[in-house]
Amino acid sequence: SYPIADHNTSQQEPMPMENTGNMFLMLFGLSRQGVDMSFLKPYWPMLTTWADYLQQSLPFPADQLCTDDFTGRLANNTNLAAKGIVALEAFAELCKTMPSKGDESKCEGYRTAARDFAATWKKLGWDGDHSNIAFGHSDTYSIKYNMVWQKSLELDGPFDWEAIVPAEIAYYKTKANKYGVPMDYRHTYVKLDWLSWAAAMAEKESDFESLFEPIYQQAEDTTCRVPLTDLFDTVTAQCAYGQKAFVARPVVGGVYMKMLMKETVKSSTLPPTSTSSSTLTSKSINIISV
């Protein structure tokens, strides 16, 4: 595990859309921070094949694993599709910063495709007041934590944020247990990082607090006293897989997503930080220190 990369390709779990999306989001994040991206030039042909893969595979991901591999494979996974769609938009924006002859129209093509995929996602994945876990699976839900990157990277698309995210946040709150919102309808557990990301998607401080506060409460109340677990039961506060799995992992840094966005989005239109949200910011630090 990180930071020792000692597994060869054959030993890795196949997550083509997940990891393609990860790379594009990270690279565009570097670009957003003013990093000179000229180092990508020798790799650009390869990256373009990855973008072509997304364009050919979206908006309906094949039957494959996502980062939540412990839940098994799932075809037409709407959260995974959301990652791929936002990542394709990010690649289109990155493409524009590295123009070469004939590429500008191709960059715009990726952007257009991402916007079209997002429209299809909304049309086929929406179920009245929220999105389903997968296309064709009515009366279900999953936390769409991957959409946080559209906000975090200050992208103006591909999703119609106002038509989707406020409704999603409101729906999550109706599914909340004492220690948070389950990550999907099949389980009572949640990933600490995904719930943190969902909270950071909220525009209202009260909604952020409503989703984030149970994370702190779980760390306070659980009798599973291990270095902070990132997968816990939202009903009992216990470690979902015992005391030896999902423990002391780097992913717990996900609790800082809200702080990251407030630090990097200098022109943020978010309301001033209230006293209560300042307390929650302190709680983010306290959670990591437990």
Side-chain angles (χ1 to χ4, degrees):
S1 64
Y2 177 88
I4 303 173
D6 59 354
H7 282 352
N8 60 41
T9 302
S10 65
Q11 293 174 296
Q12 296 293 319
E13 291 182 302
M15 299 183 186
M17 188 165 293
E18 186 78 53
N19 290 328
T20 301
N22 287 341
M23 290 299 295
F24 287 169
L25 294 169
M26 287 190 290
L27 289 171
F28 185 61
L30 290 175
S31 176
R32 271 291 195 210
Q33 293 302 304
V35 173
D36 180 0
M37 303 302 287
S38 60
F39 74 91
L40 285 181
K41 187 174 181 180
Y43 309 106
W44 196 251
M46 178 185 69
L47 294 175
T48 299
T49 67
W50 295 1
D52 291 341
Y53 157 74
L54 287 182
Q55 189 167 2
Q56 293 160 11
S57 302
L58 290 166
F60 307 113
D63 185 24
Q64 62 187 280
L65 292 173
C66 68
T67 189
D68 301 317
D69 54 355
F70 50 92
T71 64
R73 300 165 70 97
L74 179 64
N76 297 318
N77 183 333
T78 50
N79 186 50
L80 183 59
K83 170 172 268 189
I85 294 168
V86 174
L88 189 60
E89 175 98 2
F91 179 81
E93 293 300 314
L94 183 64
C95 181
K96 292 176 185 178
T97 70
M98 302 184 65
S100 60
K101 288 186 177 180
D103 272 0
E104 290 190 25
S105 61
K106 194 168 185 178
C107 297
E108 187 58 32
Y110 291 127
R111 181 180 183 274
T112 299
R115 301 293 174 108
D116 289 345
F117 293 148
T120 299
W121 187 99
K122 177 63 163 62
K123 181 179 180 181
L124 300 181
W126 202 249
D127 196 2
D129 57 356
H130 70 285
S131 61
N132 288 316
I133 190 173
F135 297 112
H137 291 239
S138 60
D139 299 320
T140 64
Y141 85 94
S142 63
I143 296 177
K144 299 303 183 293
Y145 55 83
N146 282 322
M147 283 193 176
V148 75
W149 295 107
Q150 178 168 321
K151 181 178 181 181
S152 178
L153 295 174
E154 300 183 78
L155 293 164
D156 64 1
F159 289 97
D160 184 345
W161 188 269
E162 292 303 321
I164 296 173
V165 176
E168 283 283 298
I169 297 297
Y171 186 81
Y172 301 158
K173 289 170 65 178
T174 71
K175 296 298 180 180
N177 294 320
K178 182 176 180 179
Y179 298 106
V181 181
M183 57 189 290
D184 64 49
Y185 78 102
R186 301 170 296 181
H187 314 284
T188 58
Y189 56 59
V190 70
K191 291 281 274 93
L192 170 149
D193 39 350
W194 304 157
L195 190 53
S196 298
W197 289 12
M201 287 162 53
E203 298 295 338
K204 295 179 181 178
E205 289 295 323
S206 58
D207 287 339
F208 166 75
E209 293 162 8
S210 176
L211 293 176
F212 190 88
E213 173 71 24
I215 298 172
Y216 177 80
Q217 202 59 52
Q218 183 274 336
E220 282 280 289
D221 293 352
T222 185
T223 58
C224 184
R225 305 316 297 179
V226 297
L228 189 61
T229 180
D230 58 278
L231 185 67
F232 57 84
D233 191 280
T234 61
V235 176
T236 66
Q238 298 308 305
C239 301
Y241 275 72
Q243 296 189 341
K244 294 184 178 180
F246 299 90
V247 171
R249 303 199 305 162
V251 298
V252 297
V255 299
Y256 293 118
M257 177 59 81
K258 175 86 164 180
M259 296 168 66
L260 175 67
M261 289 194 292
K262 287 202 170 189
E263 174 66 23
T264 58
V265 184
K266 300 300 184 182
S267 59
S268 174
T269 57
L270 292 172
T273 305
S274 65
T275 301
S276 55
S277 63
S278 295
T279 301
L280 284 168
T281 298
S282 298
K283 287 182 177 180
S284 297
I285 298 171
N286 289 339
I287 287 171
I288 295 297
S289 302
V290 169

